[in-house]
Amino acid sequence: MDWVAFFTAAVQAGTPLLFATLGEIITEKAGNLNLGVEGMMLIGAVAGFTVGLFSHNPALALMGAFAAGALSAMIFAFLTVTLRANQVVTGLSLTIFGTGVAGFAGKSLAGKLVPEDLKAAFVSAKIPLLGDIPFVGRIFFHQDWFVYLGYIMVILLGVYLYKTKMGMNLRTVGENPGAADASGIHISLYKYVHILLGGALCGLGGAYLTLVYVPAWQENITAGRGWIAVALVIFATWNPYKAIIGSYFFGALSLAGLYLQKFNMQISLFLIDMLPYIVTILVLIFISMKRVRENSPPKALGEPYFREDR
Amino acid sequence: MLRITKRAGLTKKQIFLYRIIAVFAALVASGIFILALGHNPVAVYASMLEGAFGTLYRFKETIIKTIPLVITSLGICIAFKMKFWNIGAEGQIFMGAFAAAYFALNYPSMPMPLMLLLMAAAGFIAGGLWALIPAFFKAQFGTNETLFTLMMNYIALKWITYLQYGPWKDPKVKGFPMISKFNENGFMPKVLGIHAGWIIMLLLVVAIYIFMKHTKKGYELAVVGESENTARYAGMNIKRVIIMSVMLSGGLCGISGMIQVAGVNHTLGIEVTSGVGYTAIITTWLGQLSAPVILLVSFLFSILLQGGSYIQTAFQIPQAVAQLIQGTILFFILGSEFFIQYKLVFNKVQFFKSGKEAA
C-alpha cells in the first residue's frame, strides 16, 4: 500500500474539517454553541464556487466564501446574542436555512466545473526545503495552498487564543461572562466578532470542497462534515493545535473504509464511519472524568448572558 | 439611554398577537424572496395550504407527518423540562425503530396484537436505553449531554446504514439495498384511513399533560430542572429522577420510531426518521414545553412541510426554497420571543431629571 498517497489524501480530506473545526472553536470559546456549521459550510461552498466561476480569481473566491460564512453566522449572532434566542434551536434552524439557500443557489451551478485558470491557482506546490524532508515532506508540504492556509490559521488562532490579551478576554467571556463584564469587556462585541469569524472559517471549509477537493458543486456537498466538525471541537478539547491533528486523523478515518475495501477486508465501511463519533464520545467522557480545566468545554457554553438577570 | 428590561405580565392574548406578527413578518420576508423568483407569493402560500389540505389524501399526509413530530417532541419536552438537553432524539427514534423491526422481521408469524405490543415495548426500551447512556455519564461525571446525545445520533444512523447495506439487506431486492418489508402482522392498523398512530399521539398528549402538571413524578422532574439543590433539600433522589425521566424521554422517541416503521414505512431504513429528531427539537422549544401547544405547533410545522413539498410540483419551485422559507419563519419566531420577554425602554425620565439637577 502506498502510505504516502494515503496520508496525502488524508490531509486533503481533513482540510475542510479543519477550517470548520477552527471556526466552531472560536465560536464556542465565546460561549456560543452554533450547530449551524453544516449550513454555514454549504453557504460558503456555494458562494466560493459562484464567485470563482465568474471572477476566475482565487482570492475573490475565498473572500466570497469568507463573507458568505460570516453573513450566515450574523443571523445566528443577532438571534442568540442580541435577541437571546436559544442557541441549539437557532443553530439547527440555521442548518435548515443554509441547506435551503445553498440548494437553491446551487441549482444553476450543477454540472459546471471550476475554470481551468482557477484550478491552476489551487494546484499542489512543493514548499522548498520542507518539501524535501523524506515522507513527512511529501505528505504535508506538497499540497495546494488552501492546505497551507489551514496551517497558518492554526498557528494564528493558537497564538491569538493563548498569547494575546484579546484571546484571554475571549476565553473569559466563554468561561465567566459575569466576571468579564465586570472587568469592562464588551461581551456582545466579543461574541459578535468571534461568531462571525467562526462562520467565515466554516465558509472557507465549504469552499475547499467546491473549489479544490471535488471540485464542482453538488447537492449537499458537505455530507455531514459540519457535524463531524462539531465532534472534532470536543475531540480537540477546544484547542486549535489538537484540532489539526484531529482533523487529519478524522480525514484519514473517512478514507480508511475505502482503502480497506480495496484490500477486501471484511469490515463494513459503515462501522468504520462510526469510529469518529465513538472516539469523540470517549474523549468527552474522559475530559469530564478528569475535570482538567483547560480541556473542559467553556463553562458558559450555550448559556445566554443577560446582565439584567444577574 | 436605551435599556432592556424584563417584561412582566403580558396577557396571553398579547403574547399570541406577538407570535402572529412574527409569522406574518416571516411570510412577508420570504414573500419578497418568492417575488424575486418571479412568482406571486400569495399564490404560492395559497397553494401551500392547498397542498396541506386540498384533498383528503393530502390532509392525511399532513397528519401522518404530524404524528412522529408530536410524539418525539413530547419525549424531548420531558428531558428539556429537567434541563437535560437531549438533542439525541434522532438516534433514539432510530434505535426504537430498530428494536421494533427486529421483532417484526424475526417473528413474522406472531398474532398482530401481540406483535404490535412487543414492537412498542421493544421500541420504548431501546430508545430509552439509548438515551440512558449519556444520562448515566451526566449523572456520574457531569459529562455534557448536548454534545454526547448529538454524537449518539450519528452512531445510530451508521448502525442502521450498516444493517441496511449489510446483514439485514434483503437478498431478493436488486439494486438499491433495502431491508425486507414486514409481514402484515407487523402493520399498524388504520383507523379512519390513517394508521392508528394518531390515536396514540392524542392519548400521549393528554397523558404527558397530566403527568407534567398533576403528578408527583412530573413535579419532581421540574424541580430537578429548576434547582438540583432545592430537589436535594426536599429529599428527592435526584439520580433516580434523572434516570427515570430520561428513560421516559428516550422511550417516547423510540415509540415514535416504532410507529413510523409499523405505520408508514413497514420496514426499517435510514429514511425512517427523515430528520424528525431535529425538527422536533424546534417544535418542542416553540411549543414551550407544553404538550397541547406542542400538538398545535407540530401540526402547523407539518403544514409547512407538506405544503412545501407541494409547491415543488405546482410551481416548479425547488424543494430548497421550502427549506429556505422554513428557516426564515423559524428565525422570525425565535427572534419574536425576545420581544415577548423583554422590552426596550427609552430612559427619558432619568435623562430629564439629571438635566434639571445640572441646571
Side-chain angles (χ1 to χ4, degrees):
Chain A
M1 174 167 167
D2 185 355
W3 286 102
V4 170
F6 175 73
F7 285 120
T8 310
V11 167
Q12 283 158 3
T15 295
L17 298 175
L18 176 63
F19 277 97
T21 306
L22 293 178
E24 185 67 7
I25 287 178
I26 314 177
T27 310
E28 291 191 18
K29 277 290 180 189
N32 283 51
L33 176 66
N34 185 352
L35 294 183
V37 181
E38 184 87 358
M40 297 188 292
M41 283 181 86
L42 279 167
I43 290 180
V46 101
F49 187 78
T50 311
V51 175
L53 193 64
F54 289 109
S55 72
H56 294 243
N57 183 327
L60 278 182
L62 291 195
M63 272 155 64
F66 190 87
L71 264 180
S72 48
M74 181 79 187
I75 301 174
F76 177 83
F78 179 68
L79 283 170
T80 59
V81 179
T82 304
L83 296 184
R84 302 164 187 189
N86 178 289
Q87 297 177 8
V88 170
V89 181
T90 310
L92 291 174
S93 304
L94 182 57
T95 290
I96 297 180
F97 180 77
T99 314
V101 170
F104 173 71
K107 267 276 176 271
S108 54
L109 300 175
K112 296 236 165 59
L113 295 173
V114 174
E116 283 305 320
D117 47 353
L118 195 59
K119 223 186 234 168
F122 289 113
V123 85
S124 297
K126 181 185 142 194
I127 293 188
L129 291 176
L130 288 173
D132 294 327
I133 306 171
F135 200 67
V136 175
R138 288 271 342 152
I139 295 167
F140 292 103
F141 301 108
H142 277 250
Q143 296 280 12
D144 58 82
W145 58 263
F146 222 124
V147 173
Y148 300 142
L149 186 65
Y151 303 161
I152 296 169
M153 283 294 171
V154 169
I155 295 166
L156 281 181
L157 190 60
V159 170
Y160 176 71
L161 276 181
Y162 301 119
K163 300 275 188 267
T164 67
K165 179 105 193 300
M166 271 180 80
M168 206 186 76
N169 287 348
L170 172 67
R171 285 185 291 146
T172 318
V173 169
E175 292 289 340
N176 190 345
D181 197 9
S183 68
I185 297 170
H186 195 317
I187 307 267
S188 302
L189 182 67
Y190 263 85
K191 282 187 180 263
Y192 261 95
V193 168
H194 294 95
I195 291 171
L196 259 62
L197 195 60
L201 287 178
C202 293
L204 284 182
Y208 183 74
L209 292 172
T210 43
L211 290 172
V212 187
Y213 194 72
V214 174
W217 165 258
Q218 293 162 357
E219 186 81 31
N220 205 11
I221 193 168
T222 48
R225 286 186 178 84
W227 297 106
I228 297 213
V230 174
L232 263 167
V233 173
I234 308 160
F235 182 81
T237 62
W238 293 264
N239 177 323
Y241 300 121
K242 291 186 201 161
I244 191 168
I245 301 168
S247 297
Y248 296 160
F249 174 56
F250 279 33
L253 278 182
S254 73
L255 299 173
L258 284 175
Y259 273 76
L260 286 178
Q261 258 195 348
K262 252 192 215 164
F263 293 96
N264 270 331
M265 299 279 275
Q266 289 303 312
I267 303 174
S268 167
L269 214 82
F270 306 105
L271 293 182
I272 292 172
D273 278 353
M274 253 186 218
L275 279 178
Y277 304 105
I278 294 175
V279 173
T280 303
I281 286 177
L282 292 179
V283 170
L284 197 58
I285 293 170
F286 186 72
I287 56 182
S288 62
M289 281 170 73
K290 298 281 279 189
R291 292 181 193 280
V292 187
R293 251 196 78 205
E294 59 183 296
N295 285 345
S296 300
K299 265 221 185 62
L301 184 63
E303 293 167 16
Y305 175 67
F306 309 152
R307 183 191 269 175
E308 295 82 9
D309 283 2
R310 299 185 71 82
Chain B
M1 257 307 271
L2 202 60
R3 207 158 49 82
I4 299 167
T5 56
K6 207 149 198 160
R7 209 190 266 278
L10 268 184
T11 61
K12 278 203 167 148
K13 219 169 139 190
Q14 280 170 309
I15 293 177
F16 184 69
L17 191 71
Y18 270 87
R19 298 234 159 81
I20 295 289
I21 294 173
V23 174
F24 188 74
L27 290 180
V28 170
S30 14
I32 294 171
F33 178 76
I34 295 172
L35 205 63
L37 291 181
H39 296 287
N40 176 356
V42 179
V44 170
Y45 292 145
S47 99
M48 277 177 95
L49 285 179
E50 208 192 306
F53 298 108
T55 64
L56 190 62
Y57 171 78
R58 290 183 207 146
F59 178 68
K60 281 181 190 166
E61 283 298 305
T62 310
I63 300 292
I64 287 171
K65 284 199 166 71
T66 313
I67 296 167
L69 211 46
V70 171
I71 297 176
T72 311
S73 301
L74 291 175
I76 295 174
C77 145
I78 289 170
F80 275 20
K81 197 80 182 176
M82 212 173 49
K83 301 227 161 72
F84 181 91
W85 302 113
N86 173 17
I87 56 174
E90 186 86 356
Q92 291 143 23
I93 298 173
F94 269 131
M95 294 319 268
F98 154 68
Y102 174 83
F103 285 101
L105 291 169
N106 287 296
Y107 304 94
S109 53
M110 215 184 300
M112 182 198 276
L114 189 65
M115 167 74 95
L116 287 176
L117 272 178
L118 198 61
M119 284 169 74
F124 183 88
I125 292 169
L129 288 180
W130 199 245
L132 268 190
I133 300 169
F136 168 79
F137 286 99
K138 164 88 173 178
Q140 206 65 26
F141 309 111
T143 312
N144 183 318
E145 78 280 13
T146 314
L147 302 169
F148 200 138
T149 47
L150 180 66
M151 296 304 122
M152 295 291 279
N153 289 344
Y154 284 91
I155 296 178
L157 170 66
K158 300 296 175 194
W159 171 244
I160 305 295
T161 320
Y162 164 70
L163 292 178
Q164 185 176 345
Y165 285 75
W168 283 22
K169 184 175 167 247
D170 185 352
K172 290 192 288 292
V173 176
K174 296 276 173 277
F176 194 75
M178 276 197 292
I179 296 171
S180 53
K181 284 256 186 268
F182 299 167
N183 190 304
E184 290 204 4
N185 299 342
F187 286 15
M188 180 86 71
K190 287 190 172 175
V191 181
L192 299 179
I194 304 173
H195 69 80
W198 68 272
I199 299 176
I200 300 173
M201 166 185 83
L202 292 179
L203 288 177
L204 281 175
V205 169
V206 176
I208 298 296
Y209 178 78
I210 294 173
F211 172 75
M212 303 277 260
K213 292 268 179 189
H214 300 290
T215 67
K216 183 163 162 273
K217 291 267 182 283
Y219 177 69
E220 277 183 348
L221 77 92
V223 173
V224 170
E226 281 308 315
S227 156
E228 287 203 7
N229 281 333
T230 311
R232 204 170 289 122
Y233 289 135
M236 295 174 193
N237 184 342
I238 294 181
K239 274 191 187 164
R240 218 194 59 206
V241 174
I242 293 184
I243 298 289
M244 229 207 51
S245 318
V246 171
M247 180 79 201
L248 185 58
S249 170
L252 283 174
C253 299
I255 291 274
S256 166
M258 173 269 172
I259 292 177
Q260 210 56 21
V261 289
V264 183
N265 298 38
H266 298 151
T267 181
L268 180 68
I270 48 170
E271 68 295 329
V272 71
T273 64
S274 53
V276 163
Y278 298 106
T279 317
I281 296 169
I282 297 170
T283 46
T284 308
W285 190 253
L286 297 181
Q288 298 162 8
L289 312 190
S290 146
V293 187
I294 282 174
L295 179 66
L296 176 73
V297 172
S298 305
F299 181 62
L300 293 175
F301 209 91
S302 306
I303 296 175
L304 213 57
L305 291 174
Q306 177 63 21
S309 60
Y310 179 71
I311 54 169
Q312 257 191 111
T313 41
F315 288 84
Q316 271 81 51
I317 292 178
Q319 167 87 43
V321 173
Q323 279 175 315
L324 204 154
I325 296 175
Q326 264 172 44
T328 313
I329 292 180
L330 289 173
F331 288 149
F332 273 87
I333 296 177
L334 286 169
S336 77
E337 285 305 301
F338 173 79
F339 297 96
I340 290 169
Q341 286 185 15
Y342 302 90
K343 60 179 171 188
L344 300 169
V345 189
F346 198 64
N347 245 352
K348 244 185 206 157
V349 183
Q350 215 174 11
F351 180 78
F352 281 120
K353 229 186 229 161
S354 52
K356 237 180 243 165
E357 272 159 23

